[in-house]
Amino acid sequence: MIELYKDGARMKVALLGGELRAYQDAQGRERLWCGDAAVWKGVSPVLFPAIGALKDGGAAFEGQRYAVPRHGFARDLPFEVTEQGEDFVTLTLEDNEETRKVYPYRFGLSVTHRFVPNGFETRFTVENHSGREMPFLIGGHPGFVCPMEEGERFEDYVVRFEKPEEGVLAVCGEKGLLYGEGRAPLTPDGRDLPLRHEDFDRLDTYIFAGLKSRRVDLINPATGRGVRLSFPEMPVLAIWSPPHKNAPYVCLEPWHGLPAYAAESGRFEDKPYHVKVGVGGAFSCGYRAEFLEGGMA
């Protein structure tokens, strides 16, 4: 575990998965989910080269089928530290014989975690080391403590969108596959999604594809406190809290890609929002979390 400190704040980063495992603000308040395996062992796993479930447990690359794991394999593999400074660390995963059995490309995946004012930034860079175009999906999965203050309830919070949204959802069905569209219970102005455990019990995950917003606030409207998540290059946002757990956290997940549709072809290159990098090319995207102390919403 790598620990970084800046202006009283602290981050912990694991070599396994290149995952940010803890963030404490300057007041010593833990702002990320604790990773309790009895509920969910993750904290902010890196999703690559797949997101969510795949149809029949895999996908076809260049006409050949591979058994790609759910959410990909990056979260379960050891990264190496390739650069470290006073306020950041970069960890890198390279392809190997085992990864090529499920994803037939040579790649480098780097994840940088960096302090920013009142929070942190996580950035992904994927390099294509293959001699051909390389498709992939990439995403984040950070879980934020909710409620954030003593005496509050989960239901005191909303997810507030930067711009009015129509609330169209990609709906998960059996085995985590997408099968159609639904509507999120947004407020009439299209800005707020009230948080209720019973909605996660019923829907599991809100998946907003093609958003106009590139920023959301997980916020208590009564106090203005919460977290602002910015994801300027990523077109999909998933919002998840584990069903039937009444868990004290919410994941705000910026994605460049989607889980599989039940009716899709199974060709990875047909997946909506997938990224394709040319020979010797690279792609970068990421997200920033800034913690709000009120009066900034």
Side-chain angles (χ1 to χ4, degrees):
M1 195 77 70
I2 300 158
E3 295 196 27
L4 299 173
Y5 300 87
K6 185 175 176 62
D7 298 331
R10 182 179 73 158
M11 288 196 294
K12 288 185 178 182
V13 179
L15 295 180
L16 182 65
E19 183 179 4
L20 180 62
R21 294 292 300 182
Y23 174 86
Q24 285 185 353
D25 65 17
Q27 288 72 46
R29 297 172 296 190
E30 184 57 62
R31 294 309 197 184
L32 293 178
W33 163 245
C34 65
D36 181 356
V39 181
W40 178 55
K41 69 177 182 179
V43 175
S44 63
V46 177
L47 313 183
F48 174 87
I51 290 172
L54 288 96
K55 188 175 182 180
D56 299 322
F61 296 94
E62 301 172 359
Q64 184 171 344
R65 184 171 173 78
Y66 294 83
V68 186
R70 182 185 181 93
H71 281 328
F73 47 70
R75 60 180 177 159
D76 297 317
L77 295 180
F79 284 57
E80 294 185 359
V81 176
T82 48
E83 192 174 2
Q84 186 170 346
E86 195 172 284
D87 64 347
F88 78 96
V89 63
T90 298
L91 305 98
T92 300
L93 173 69
E94 301 278 350
D95 65 276
N96 57 46
E97 183 177 349
E98 293 304 310
T99 67
R100 291 192 295 274
K101 289 178 181 178
V102 296
Y103 181 66
Y105 299 95
R106 295 185 178 273
F107 66 87
L109 166 62
S110 294
V111 183
T112 298
H113 303 290
R114 184 186 303 273
F115 286 107
V116 299
N118 302 313
F120 65 87
E121 179 180 73
T122 294
R123 192 149 196 91
F124 313 114
T125 300
V126 181
E127 298 179 349
N128 181 2
H129 299 164
S130 298
R132 59 200 193 276
E133 283 191 325
M134 185 177 77
F136 59 88
L137 311 182
I138 184 90
H141 199 313
F144 298 97
V145 172
C146 183
M148 291 188 173
E149 308 292 340
E150 289 187 14
E152 295 181 333
R153 302 176 306 131
F154 186 86
E155 292 78 12
D156 292 335
Y157 282 74
V158 303
V159 174
R160 177 165 294 166
F161 292 88
E162 173 191 16
K163 299 177 181 179
E165 300 288 349
E166 296 180 2
V168 177
L169 298 173
V171 178
C172 279
E174 187 179 0
K175 300 180 181 178
L177 300 180
L178 305 179
Y179 66 88
E181 289 188 348
R183 292 277 177 173
L186 299 182
T187 52
D189 62 1
R191 291 289 306 281
D192 286 359
L193 174 68
L195 294 185
R196 294 182 289 261
H197 281 302
E198 57 264 32
D199 290 337
F200 291 105
D201 294 344
R202 177 172 51 88
L203 290 171
D204 188 280
T205 309
Y206 293 100
I207 301 176
F208 297 91
L211 285 171
K212 296 187 285 289
S213 301
R214 289 295 183 274
R215 189 185 75 210
V216 295
D217 296 343
L218 171 61
I219 192 170
N220 182 340
T223 66
R225 297 192 185 103
V227 59
R228 172 166 293 168
L229 190 81
S230 303
F231 46 100
E233 308 102 337
M234 306 175 84
V236 178
L237 181 73
I239 302 171
W240 175 75
S241 191
H244 309 294
K245 298 282 189 178
N246 290 334
Y249 71 91
V250 175
C251 290
L252 303 178
E253 306 175 37
W255 294 347
H256 217 304
L258 285 170
Y261 277 91
E264 73 171 35
S265 68
R267 294 179 67 248
F268 200 90
E269 297 90 335
D270 293 340
K271 289 184 174 297
Y273 305 108
H274 80 276
V275 181
K276 187 177 291 184
V277 173
V279 176
F283 174 82
S284 183
C285 65
Y287 59 90
R288 175 177 290 210
E290 300 166 276
F291 295 92
L292 308 175
E293 294 296 339
M296 297 176 62

